[in-house]
Amino acid sequence: MPDDSTAADTGTLEAAAEPERADWVSRLADDVIAEAARRGTVPVAASGISPSGPIHLGNFREVMSPHLVVDEIQRRGLEAEHIFSWDDYDRFRKVPAGIEGVDETWSEHIGKPLTSVPAPPGSEHESWAAHFRSAAEASFAEAGIRYRGISQTEQYAAGAYTEQILHAMRHRREIDAILAQFRTLPAAKDEDEELQRALDASSGAAAEDDGSAGVESGGTEYYPYKPYCTRCGKDLTTIEAYDDESTEMTYSCQCGHRETVLLREFRSGKLVWKVDWPMRWAYERVVFEPSGVDHQSPGSSFQVGLELAPVFGWQRPLGPMYAFVGFGGVAKMSSSRGGAPVPADALAVMEAPVLRWLYARRRMNQSFDVAFGSELQRTYDEWDALLRKADAGTAGEAELAALERATSTAHETLPQTPRRVAYRTLASIVDITFGDEAQVLRILGGLDAEDPITSLDPLRPRLDRVEAWVATHMPDEEHTAVRDAPDREALDALTETERDGVRLLLDGGQGLPAIEEAWTLDGLTHQVYGVAKVQRGLEPGAMVKGDKELSAAQRAFFALLYRLLVGRETGPRIPTLLLAIGRERVRELLT
């Protein structure tokens, strides 16, 4: 058992703690530093995920939250550690949906450890757990997350927890009495939709039995330990007898196997989840571990752990609840149901600092969505606005803190795009040019006459992410196809006002230049908005607010241009569209 009397020098921790700052990460870091000092240890934060399927963006909050807090402590020059438990010794509970090549034949592996289940077809990895762990770890590294990974299969197989297992078996009656207090708690009320949704969609750890199922299935006594059968490899077992002095244990399995072993030497089994988790808090001396709603409900693992952790000589860690992370308007993702986006999906269409920022800027108890549709363009608009505020010195303290955590860690600065062009502008250009780099560069070269873009390299990695988004996530109705030839019928049917507007756009007059002289993003913006103003007797650059008739006239003119250029009522922003089509072709299509 861990020696709780072994205390670290906590004077340095207390002296170095900074005053409370505006953002939630700093406040939690203050709490963790103080709690570690009270316990006489260094700050250790923990995450834990069962690699039972894809590690989705909801699971990612389990990783990001402790990472941000530990990183803040390390930024202050203090010792702190983020440990990550891969719960790969958990049982394979059910066959997940939505995994290519995986069908009901995998049900024969239900009850085995995840590390004993074959990987999905085509995988280069030796097990189910290794397959999903490897994919997640690559994304964690790209996002700048550092941690000490722990395989629970390796820990149990190496006998790391042998003394803790024997301790739990000796105190099984005490553990059973504690758990009994929670077994009769009423189930979640139907109207508690968020909690019920969490319980329904959880990966299963929160719903694992506490060992009482062994008694219900014919055992004579409660045991907090579950053997994996050495013949069939499954946990469909019942302990029939156990001797505390010799550690002799007899168990039987539904497959017909029965054997007697010395638990001190036996390496095929684990503590039941509700006992395993508080045991590991004590073993790793964990001070901080947040968890989701499914672990925070009455009778759940985290709540029971308050009473069970002292059995192992420790106290439950600080454990604030984190809220759901959704995508595309869906409130909760579940890896067991398949189809939920994983961090790699997000990193394919957004830069790592932007993904980090989405998690850093929201308090842990706030839900949010990671956008993959057109909303992603708005996310990038917000990101770019924050960068401009930071450059101008007008960003608030909490905004700057979130930006710093997004773009760097205590150990590294994450790659950023040197030349920022709006995500939506790049998406329009990539879409119209089908990603032809020469054409993309031609169009981008006209964005800023004073500082023209002469290479695509300064636009990366953002440009790479935009290209991936256009290819995989851009809604079909937003793809733009420029007309091959002028729409003669539509041109012949123009009203006198519409014909005059097109002439002003192309040839200028009354304060407007010819379109060739306005061939920059700002110039074309001035040009297209100025047409309706000139037609109303105003200067093209006049600042007009609240004129609904003028706004309606501008919208009508834009819709006309969309119909003539791309054959529909909407499309990319008109100045970007004109740049993409090119001077000569614009004249051809509008004449």
Side-chain angles (χ1 to χ4, degrees), residues 123-452:
S123 173
E124 62 183 16
H125 299 285
E126 62 183 8
S127 74
W128 187 271
H131 173 81
F132 292 108
R133 171 177 174 172
S134 177
E137 286 185 320
S139 296
F140 297 167
E142 185 177 348
I145 301 171
R146 293 190 181 188
Y147 55 87
R148 176 166 62 90
I150 302 171
S151 164
Q152 291 306 316
T153 296
E154 294 177 2
Q155 290 289 91
Y156 273 102
Y161 303 138
T162 295
E163 292 305 317
Q164 284 72 20
I165 293 170
L166 299 180
H167 178 84
M169 292 292 272
R170 285 194 298 271
H171 291 80
R172 58 188 178 276
R173 294 176 182 84
E174 178 185 352
I175 291 171
D176 187 29
I178 292 171
L179 292 170
Q181 301 173 38
F182 297 90
R183 292 180 187 134
T184 57
L185 288 177
K189 296 180 180 179
D190 291 339
E191 61 266 23
D192 192 346
E193 294 181 2
E194 184 177 46
L195 174 57
Q196 194 61 55
R197 189 167 60 248
L199 296 174
D200 290 344
S202 71
S203 62
E208 288 284 347
D209 74 70
D210 59 11
S212 59
V215 178
E216 295 168 1
S217 62
T220 58
E221 188 174 353
Y222 169 81
Y223 296 103
Y225 179 81
K226 191 73 168 174
Y228 281 114
C229 176
T230 57
R231 174 185 289 174
C232 70
K234 300 180 180 181
D235 67 348
L236 307 177
T237 57
T238 300
I239 297 177
E240 297 180 353
Y242 178 73
D243 180 72
D244 287 321
E245 295 300 321
S246 65
T247 75
E248 187 175 273
M249 178 182 72
T250 299
Y251 76 89
S252 59
C253 179
Q254 291 181 20
C255 74
H257 182 62
R258 183 176 184 273
E259 68 175 326
T260 299
V261 298
L262 290 179
L263 185 54
R264 179 175 293 280
E265 301 171 357
F266 191 63
R267 299 290 181 265
S268 182
K270 67 186 294 290
L271 292 173
V272 296
W273 169 248
K274 287 185 177 180
V275 181
D276 177 78
W277 198 14
M279 177 277 290
R280 287 192 271 130
W281 289 337
Y283 186 87
E284 301 289 354
R285 302 173 71 82
V286 176
V287 176
F288 175 70
E289 183 169 7
S291 57
V293 178
D294 48 337
H295 284 300
Q296 300 271 350
S297 59
S300 67
S301 314
F302 190 78
Q303 297 300 323
V304 173
L306 176 67
E307 306 294 333
L308 286 180
V311 174
F312 297 95
W314 198 244
Q315 296 176 27
R316 187 180 68 180
L318 299 178
M321 183 191 75
Y322 57 79
F324 295 148
V325 176
F327 68 98
V330 178
K332 178 71 170 76
M333 296 169 290
S334 170
S335 58
S336 63
R337 297 186 181 182
V342 298
D345 295 326
L347 291 169
V349 297
M350 68 180 73
E351 298 155 82
V354 177
L355 181 61
R356 289 175 60 91
W357 175 64
L358 293 176
Y359 288 80
R361 68 173 176 161
R362 302 291 189 195
R363 294 193 305 273
M364 285 174 53
N365 62 355
Q366 291 180 309
S367 299
F368 66 91
D369 285 355
V370 178
F372 283 87
S374 298
E375 299 87 356
L376 178 56
Q377 298 177 356
R378 290 195 288 273
T379 297
Y380 257 90
D381 288 344
E382 294 178 38
W383 171 252
D384 287 343
L386 174 59
L387 293 173
R388 288 192 295 270
K389 288 174 67 175
D391 291 341
T394 59
E397 184 179 351
E399 291 178 311
L400 288 174
L403 179 60
E404 181 183 20
R405 302 187 199 292
T407 57
S408 67
T409 72
H411 307 286
E412 64 178 311
T413 298
L414 278 75
Q416 294 188 67
T417 300
R419 182 80 181 257
R420 299 192 298 271
V421 174
Y423 196 100
R424 65 176 67 247
T425 299
L426 291 176
S428 298
I429 295 171
V430 168
D431 177 44
I432 293 170
T433 62
F434 298 98
D436 183 297
E437 292 200 349
Q439 293 300 314
V440 170
L441 183 57
R442 173 186 67 78
I443 298 166
L444 290 172
L447 293 183
D448 188 344
E450 297 182 1
D451 185 16

Side-chain angles (χ1 to χ4, degrees), residues 59-181:
N59 299 138
F60 194 53
R61 201 167 203 178
E62 169 83 17
V63 186
M64 277 297 299
S65 301
H67 160 72
L68 291 168
V69 172
V70 168
D71 184 66
E72 167 61 21
I73 296 172
Q74 292 174 340
R75 287 175 191 265
R76 301 180 188 184
L78 303 177
E79 181 183 358
E81 185 178 32
H82 181 190
I83 63 172
F84 191 105
S85 281
W86 289 103
D87 293 323
D88 51 15
Y89 208 43
D90 286 358
R91 76 192 305 266
F92 187 56
R93 298 177 61 246
K94 61 181 179 180
V95 181
I99 298 176
E100 187 174 355
V102 176
D103 55 30
E104 284 306 311
T105 60
W106 255 261
S107 61
E108 67 178 272
H109 301 293
I110 290 175
K112 294 180 181 178
L114 294 169
T115 41
S116 297
V117 178
S123 173
E124 62 183 16
H125 299 285
E126 62 183 8
S127 74
W128 187 271
H131 173 81
F132 292 108
R133 171 177 174 172
S134 177
E137 286 185 320
S139 296
F140 297 167
E142 185 177 348
I145 301 171
R146 293 190 181 188
Y147 55 87
R148 176 166 62 90
I150 302 171
S151 164
Q152 291 306 316
T153 296
E154 294 177 2
Q155 290 289 91
Y156 273 102
Y161 303 138
T162 295
E163 292 305 317
Q164 284 72 20
I165 293 170
L166 299 180
H167 178 84
M169 292 292 272
R170 285 194 298 271
H171 291 80
R172 58 188 178 276
R173 294 176 182 84
E174 178 185 352
I175 291 171
D176 187 29
I178 292 171
L179 292 170
Q181 301 173 38

Side-chain angles (χ1 to χ4, degrees), residues 492-504 535 560:
D492 290 342
L494 292 181
T495 67
E496 208 47 51
T497 299
E498 291 172 337
R499 197 178 304 278
D500 181 61
V502 172
R503 181 190 59 78
L504 284 169
Q535 288 184 313
L560 170 65

